[in-house]
Amino acid sequence: MSQSEHTIEALFDEGRTFPPPPDFAANAAVSSPEIYAEGDDTERFWGEEAERLEWRRRWDQVLDWSGAPFAKWFVGGKLNVTESCLDRHAATQPDRIAYHWEGEPGDTRSVTYAELLAEVCRLANGLAELGVGKGDRVAIYMGMVPELPVALLACARLGAPHSVVFGGFSADALADRINDAEAKALITCDGAWRAGAVVPLKDMADEALGRTPSIESVVVVRRTGSEVHMEPGRDHDYHELVSRQAGERPAVECDSEDLLYLLYTSGTTAKPKGIVHTCGGYLVGTATTYRMVFDARPERDVYWCTADIGWVTGHSYMVYGPLANGMTSVLYEGVPQYPDKDRFWDIVERYGVTILYTAPTAIRTFMKWGPEYPAKHDLSSLRLIGTVGEPINPEAWMWYRDTIGAGRTPVVDTWWQTETGQIMISPLPGLTTLKPGSATFPLPGVGADVVDEAGQSVPLGQGGYLTLTKPWPAMLRGIYGDPDRFVETYWRRFSKPEEGRWVYFAGDGAKRDLDGYFWLLGRVDDVMNVSGHRISTLEVESALVDHPAVAEAAVVGRLDERTGQAIAAFVTLKGARVGDDALIAELRDHVATRIGKIARPASIVFTDELPKTRSGKIMRRLLRDISEQRHLGDVTTLANADVVREIAARAAASTTTED
Ligand code: WTA
């Protein structure tokens, strides 16, 4: 029995449930349970939601699924997403704050809707001057500064798809993503503040730019004041470029199905996939789910999502969803322990944050640090708290609700993916009775099921594979440049095309309890989830074997109390090279260079051989058992059973590196 199953059973015994607080339910954005029945009429439901946004031309058809699994939403509709996110709010509530930004060193800046629109137009004018136009891809590699959302929106204003690369990725990872998208321009920063030190973003970008022939111009935001190289003719200072531009620019009219952005994510192969999101459906999906799940009340809320805009959570729920709803959001640049471990609670108190959205791994870290840090601050402004990124264990859920939410606030555990673009499974805080650790039910308009190997729905109380049974507006439209891989990865396994039935396979395991609640059980493929970051085992393996000393590598995610999973690597070496601590450090650095620091293995065990089946397949499950120090069952199907005992002994003796 797995750990999560064990916990679920324990919970049923205790029967802990939390209905919505009556005052919350009475005023909630969504307070009628009818909404679920309305969601059954997919096209009508999403069509009505789309009416809340600004369109240049209304759509002729809500959904065209005739080319399934390639969807078209709001067919014939024309819009520019920035008109819903900026212009209409700048017209009706120009002085409302869009972003309260706080730098890690403590500097602050607040930007109103009117100012944000003007800044976006100025950058759009600047980019246009550099030759960026509709359809040109623009890579963005920045820290969490106010210019980051401005950069996304300026691209959107021009109809130029953005491709944001998280600032924690390495030069190699940046170059690969730029080249796959054939980006024409790059927007970056001199550096970023992180834990009191400067991350040299421009230096890393320079390294990447040595082999990115498509890049014609680079725009550099000055953040840390670090000395950086500026290539004449190619590199432009952001402030110089922008300060000479007008603060207006008409938005480019886009088709609903024009590309809004690419976001690269790890899958089950070594090469990251460029997930394709388009304009109309994505905005409808994110704006609607934002309003419903976060009970958005722009006139009184201050919303803070602690993610980085470099991930999908930042795209959907720090930029497009909140802005489409005219919300005031907090953006924080740095880490939660700088200058001390109460930084988050200090921010909540000072800005009067009412809605907080963070990750289970952060919550578990706060638990470890102790309740004295939140206790130093007045958190009574909070009325709703949420989580995303990985399964939340019931203990962390309860701690979050009690210690941060004072036992008062609903907790929304939201399940979704880069591919889904929008939240798919989540409570509605004014309606849903919560169970700690369950993401509860699919949202209105969303279809989800738990199926067995054959694609049959499993009875309540049982586990299986999580599938999505009907199209949704913010769904990915494909993998950039690879339609076959798109069909193969997400749609082949459980669909019955001959019956016209298309079923999306999420890659997650799930269980429904006897009340029909969904419990997410983690990935069932070779994707690891480390602190809520998706990392492919194959990507780390190929980074390791790329090192001259390494012959073969196998990587697994093992359970970790704080980070959810930790990366455990097993490595065989070439020739006479001896595996010692120095080589462990070298290999970890090597992975950091190839992918980024987030992908460094927490432990590396050297072995003379990897355990393989007789047909030569590496037995990852066995390595996971070894890493988690579980009793090893029958290993007789192995070609090399002795190896296993040897590795198990070494793994038990190995140390884990904490970052
Ligand atoms: C996991 C992040 C359990 C899941 C938005 C999914 C979750 C992957 C939850 C997507 C949750 C995300 N409960 N697991 N509430 N939210 N996941 O693309 O395995 O970075 O497939 O998107 O994170 O990660 P991604």
Side-chain angles (χ1 to χ4, degrees):
M1 183 186 276
S2 81
Q3 200 181 10
S4 39
E5 273 168 326
H6 181 79
T7 331
I8 293 171
E9 303 310 333
L11 273 172
F12 288 160
D13 293 345
E14 291 173 38
R16 280 188 292 187
T17 56
F18 299 94
D23 54 330
F24 194 105
N27 299 306
V30 183
S31 57
S32 160
E34 300 296 307
I35 187 108
Y36 287 101
E38 287 163 19
D40 291 344
D41 189 342
T42 314
E43 293 193 41
R44 183 160 165 202
F45 178 79
W46 292 112
E48 282 177 8
E49 288 299 328
E51 303 279 4
R52 296 172 187 268
L53 301 174
E54 296 288 315
W55 297 83
R56 292 272 183 95
R57 181 184 184 277
R58 205 177 181 280
W59 54 94
D60 304 312
Q61 191 186 355
V62 172
L63 169 65
D64 177 3
W65 194 224
S66 62
F70 296 89
K72 290 194 180 123
W73 282 87
F74 305 102
V75 183
K78 304 281 180 199
L79 77 164
N80 183 292
V81 298
T82 65
E83 294 186 330
S84 290
C85 293
L86 300 174
D87 301 65
R88 60 173 173 164
H89 308 308
T92 56
Q93 45 168 44
D95 300 328
R96 179 173 296 159
I97 304 293
Y99 292 116
H100 287 295
W101 173 78
E102 179 156 311
E104 195 185 71
D107 45 341
T108 61
R109 189 175 146 195
S110 293
V111 187
T112 65
Y113 272 91
E115 289 164 349
L116 185 61
L117 173 61
E119 177 91 358
V120 165
C121 288
R122 270 193 289 271
L123 179 58
N125 284 324
L127 291 172
E129 190 184 301
L130 300 177
V132 174
K134 191 173 179 197
D136 292 333
R137 275 83 58 212
V138 177
I140 298 177
Y141 183 59
M142 295 171 73
M144 282 280 291
V145 287
E147 291 82 359
L148 175 53
V150 169
L152 274 70
L153 293 160
C155 291
R157 189 108 183 141
L158 294 169
H162 51 77
S163 168
V164 182
V165 180
F166 171 58
F169 279 120
S170 68
D172 284 352
L174 173 63
D176 291 347
R177 286 158 175 78
I178 288 175
N179 289 335
D180 188 76
E182 295 174 286
K184 187 170 182 181
L186 169 69
I187 309 174
T188 186
C189 298
D190 52 0
W193 285 111
R194 201 182 151 74
V198 171
V199 181
L201 289 174
K202 178 63 165 64
D203 292 353
M204 295 203 280
D206 283 340
E207 225 180 294
L209 288 164
R211 51 190 184 85
T212 54
S214 60
I215 295 284
E216 292 172 11
S217 0
V218 178
V219 178
V220 184
V221 176
R222 300 284 181 182
R223 167 57 186 144
T224 53
S226 326
E227 186 83 24
V228 294
H229 168 74
M230 295 292 279
E231 181 74 25
R234 184 196 69 187
D235 296 358
H236 305 266
D237 180 285
Y238 176 98
H239 304 279
E240 274 171 29
L241 176 73
V242 157
S243 59
R244 62 170 183 262
Q245 309 294 336
E248 298 100 45
R249 182 178 184 93
V252 169
E253 184 170 291
C254 298
D255 188 85
S256 288
E257 285 301 336
D258 280 346
L259 185 56
L260 175 62
Y261 71 77
L262 298 175
L263 187 57
Y264 286 81
T265 189
S266 294
T268 53
T269 66
K271 189 177 176 298
K273 312 174 277 210
I275 300 301
V276 170
H277 284 295
T278 59
C279 297
Y282 177 78
L283 195 67
V284 173
T286 52
T288 305
T289 51
Y290 183 84
R291 184 174 54 83
M292 291 184 174
V293 172
F294 296 105
D295 188 44
R297 273 182 276 148
E299 53 306 322
R300 53 169 277 199
D301 279 320
V302 178
Y303 163 79
W304 183 25
C305 169
T306 69
D308 190 291
I309 289 178
W311 307 111
V312 75
T313 304
H315 284 58
S316 297
Y317 298 110
M318 296 171 85
V319 181
Y320 294 108
L323 292 177
N325 282 281
M327 293 286 285
T328 296
S329 302
V330 172
L331 289 183
Y332 170 57
E333 178 183 39
V335 299
Q337 67 273 28
Y338 189 90
D340 202 355
K341 296 181 176 123
D342 64 341
R343 182 65 180 268
F344 272 26
W345 319 121
D346 180 39
I347 290 176
V348 168
E349 179 174 14
R350 273 187 294 113
Y351 294 95
V353 171
T354 60
I355 307 169
L356 178 68
Y357 192 30
T358 193
T361 188
I363 297 167
R364 289 191 297 267
T365 303
F366 299 141
M367 285 171 77
K368 203 173 100 184
W369 288 347
E372 58 271 29
Y373 293 101
K376 282 191 205 166
H377 297 276
D378 177 5
L379 307 181
S380 61
S381 56
L382 288 171
R383 67 181 191 91
L384 177 61
I385 57 181
T387 77
V388 60
E390 52 178 318
I392 180 161
N393 47 313
E395 291 69 24
W397 193 101
M398 286 304 297
W399 186 90
Y400 192 35
R401 182 176 183 277
D402 288 342
T403 309
I404 305 305
R408 215 172 15 85
T409 59
V411 178
V412 285
D413 171 9
T414 62
W415 178 88
W416 59 296
Q417 310 177 297
T418 305
E419 291 87 340
T420 68
Q422 65 179 67
I423 296 172
M424 302 298 282
I425 303 180
S426 163
L428 289 175
L431 281 176
T432 312
T433 291
L434 307 172
K435 294 188 186 188
S438 167
T440 72
F441 303 107
L443 288 177
V446 169
D449 197 5
V450 179
V451 303
D452 62 17
E453 210 59 64
Q456 294 299 315
S457 200
V458 301
L460 292 184
Q462 291 185 23
Y465 302 102
L466 179 67
T467 57
L468 299 171
T469 51
K470 56 183 196 175
W472 63 99
M475 66 197 289
L476 77 164
R477 300 300 194 265
I479 295 175
Y480 194 64
D482 202 345
D484 293 344
R485 189 171 169 206
F486 166 67
V487 178
E488 207 49 53
T489 308
Y490 303 107
W491 301 96
R492 188 72 77 206
R493 186 147 171 195
F494 296 116
S495 297
K496 302 241 167 12
E498 59 289 355
E499 295 166 21
R501 205 156 66 87
W502 289 95
V503 175
Y504 173 91
F505 174 44
D508 280 44
K511 166 173 175 160
R512 260 178 316 167
D513 68 22
L514 296 174
D515 300 324
Y517 281 65
F518 283 71
W519 298 77
L520 280 306
L521 302 176
R523 302 286 306 194
V524 294
D525 53 14
D526 290 331
V527 174
M528 298 175 287
N529 191 325
V530 181
S531 296
H533 301 324
R534 264 170 81 165
I535 300 167
S536 144
T537 53
L538 274 118
E539 215 176 328
V540 180
E541 283 170 7
S542 66
L544 284 168
V545 295
D546 171 68
H547 186 282
V550 174
E552 231 183 349
V555 165
V556 297
R558 70 167 143 77
L559 282 178
D560 183 276
E561 264 188 20
R562 192 172 55 85
T563 58
Q565 283 187 312
I567 303 176
F570 297 84
V571 167
T572 64
L573 296 174
K574 280 185 193 153
R577 186 74 195 251
V578 184
D580 53 14
D581 286 352
L583 185 58
I584 289 180
E586 200 178 312
L587 291 178
R588 294 182 79 241
D589 281 351
H590 187 74
V591 174
T593 312
R594 283 283 169 270
I595 308 172
K597 284 187 179 165
I598 53 169
R600 283 180 305 191
S603 60
I604 296 179
V605 171
F606 296 109
T607 163
D608 297 334
E609 253 181 281
L610 292 173
K612 292 186 183 159
T613 60
R614 296 210 166 113
S615 61
K617 269 185 85 170
I618 294 175
M619 299 205 54
R620 284 212 180 69
R621 185 185 298 182
L622 189 84
L623 289 173
R624 208 172 302 136
D625 287 345
I626 290 175
S627 307
E628 293 170 2
Q629 292 171 17
R630 253 193 303 280
H631 174 70
L632 302 178
D634 184 12
V635 290
T636 46
T637 52
L638 283 173
N640 40 7
D642 281 350
V643 170
V644 176
R645 268 168 240 120
E646 174 74 33
I647 299 177
R650 288 193 196 178
S654 79
T655 48
T656 295
T657 315
E658 283 251 4
D659 290 306

